[in-house]
Amino acid sequence: MSAPEKAFGNLIRKIRQEKGLSQEALALEAGLDRTFISLLERGSRQPSLTTIFKIAKVLGISASTLISKVESSLSLNHDGVDL
């Protein structure tokens, strides 16, 4: 599991929980499988660009904001480490 996948998973879990959504509700609204959401949140799978847009829409943020937050998380956690 690489740092970007883990950071993405942690972020969508955090936002999903803040919105009061279960993995199942997020998956249903995004047109994805619940097990896939679980794999994303654990950093075991990489999302496609389409998946990022679907998840961001359900979470009520833009895809660019979602990616920016992942990037910020990586910068904070990996001082100067190339990914």
Side-chain angles (χ1 to χ4, degrees):
M1 152 181 14
S2 72
E5 286 87 354
K6 185 169 179 142
F8 180 81
N10 288 338
L11 180 63
I12 63 169
R13 178 184 299 113
K14 178 180 180 270
I15 298 170
R16 174 183 61 75
Q17 290 174 339
E18 287 172 356
K19 301 278 184 179
L21 292 170
S22 65
Q23 286 182 344
E24 187 172 1
L26 174 58
L28 184 63
E29 290 186 47
L32 302 167
D33 189 84
R34 193 219 44 91
T35 56
F36 183 62
I37 297 295
S38 176
L39 291 169
L40 286 174
E41 288 187 358
R42 287 184 281 151
S44 298
R45 291 288 187 269
Q46 290 186 30
S48 68
L49 185 56
T50 301
T51 299
I52 293 169
F53 275 92
K54 287 179 178 182
I55 289 172
K57 183 177 180 180
V58 174
L59 295 177
I61 62 174
S62 69
S64 61
T65 298
L66 185 60
I67 296 303
S68 178
K69 287 179 178 284
V70 171
E71 188 174 32
S72 293
S73 172
L74 291 170
S75 295
L76 291 173
N77 294 326
H78 302 285
D79 300 326
V81 175
D82 290 333
L83 300 173

